[in-house]
Amino acid sequence: MISTLTIKELSKAYRESHLRVEDVLEHVMSQADAADPAIWIHRLTRAELQLYVARLRGRESLPLYGIPFAIKDNIDLEGVPTT
């Protein structure tokens, strides 16, 4: 169960194996699905995000491991529209 999305709480839950990145991703995507679609210029699909999740395996020691974030539309991300 995800009660908070703070970096501190998520990092602790990952360290203690209470959460998986996939669980957090599904929670965040469900929340985004329920939000007004006008707030997003572009959203990655679950399949696109899974590619990033797969790249995290074995990197649990990274300080922002599994922390969800949004990228402002004026920041370039390969394959995503930039305004």
Side-chain angles (χ1 to χ4, degrees), residues 1-6 9-10 13-14 18-29 31 68:
M1 176 62 79
I2 298 172
S3 60
T4 180
L5 290 175
T6 66
E9 292 297 321
L10 284 176
Y14 289 140
H18 295 256
L19 275 179
R20 298 176 316 126
V21 173
E22 293 84 354
D23 300 328
V24 175
L25 174 62
E26 188 53 41
H27 175 77
V28 170
M29 291 297 289
Q31 295 291 314

Side-chain angles (χ1 to χ4, degrees), residues 10-83:
L10 284 176
S11 295
K12 180 180 179 194
Y14 289 140
R15 276 192 316 275
E16 296 174 356
S17 300
H18 295 256
L19 275 179
R20 298 176 316 126
V21 173
E22 293 84 354
D23 300 328
V24 175
L25 174 62
E26 188 53 41
H27 175 77
V28 170
M29 291 297 289
S30 294
Q31 295 291 314
D33 290 343
D36 179 356
I39 66 172
W40 305 104
I41 290 174
H42 180 81
R43 281 183 48 199
L44 296 178
T45 65
R46 283 170 168 79
E48 290 169 321
L49 289 168
Q50 283 301 327
L51 298 173
Y52 292 98
V53 171
R55 292 176 65 190
L56 285 175
R57 287 190 181 86
R59 297 179 169 182
E60 291 82 0
S61 65
L62 292 173
L64 296 177
Y65 171 85
I67 304 301
F69 63 94
I71 298 174
K72 188 166 170 41
D73 63 328
N74 66 344
I75 304 296
D76 286 326
L77 176 62
E78 184 177 349
V80 174
T82 303
T83 61

